[in-house]
Amino acid sequence: MTISAKLALAALPLVALTACVQPQPVTPAPDADACNASSLSGLVGQPSTVLKTMLLPAGTRVINPGDAVTMDFRPDRMNIEIGTDGRIAKIGCY
């Protein structure tokens, strides 16, 4: 028996086992607006001082230029980014 025939026979059980593997379920993508950032989208372009008069959801981050922030993804956390011009540049859930 040749080496290639031996390898083919040795691999046969592995090929058969791959048919028994169940596919992993697909997890749904998180809601893009889980923190309800769209409700504040009208603030984009406004001076950041308007945020001082507002009651923001718990855990909201106001991120100024140059601020250090963690990179953990939390779709339920609202993030408000302030641009270098002092205006609200972006509001999102991440």
Side-chain angles (χ1 to χ4, degrees), residues 71-82:
M71 297 300 294
D72 59 322
F73 178 71
R74 289 193 32 218
D76 62 327
R77 178 178 53 206
M78 183 180 297
N79 292 277
I80 302 173
E81 293 184 32
I82 309 300

Side-chain angles (χ1 to χ4, degrees), residues 1-90:
M1 187 178 286
T2 65
I3 293 176
S4 60
K6 289 180 182 178
L7 287 175
L9 285 175
L12 189 59
L14 295 176
V15 172
L17 284 176
T18 59
C20 297
V21 176
Q22 293 186 6
Q24 296 294 325
V26 177
T27 56
D31 183 14
D33 195 26
C35 70
N36 201 22
S38 63
S39 67
L40 298 180
S41 64
L43 293 176
V44 174
Q46 298 294 319
S48 62
T49 54
V50 301
L51 297 174
K52 293 179 182 179
T53 62
M54 298 182 65
L55 181 61
L56 298 171
T60 298
R61 297 192 296 188
V62 178
I63 306 168
N64 290 292
D67 281 356
V69 293
T70 59
M71 297 300 294
D72 59 322
F73 178 71
R74 289 193 32 218
D76 62 327
R77 178 178 53 206
M78 183 180 297
N79 292 277
I80 302 173
E81 293 184 32
I82 309 300
T84 55
D85 59 356
R87 295 186 174 277
I88 298 170
K90 179 181 176 183

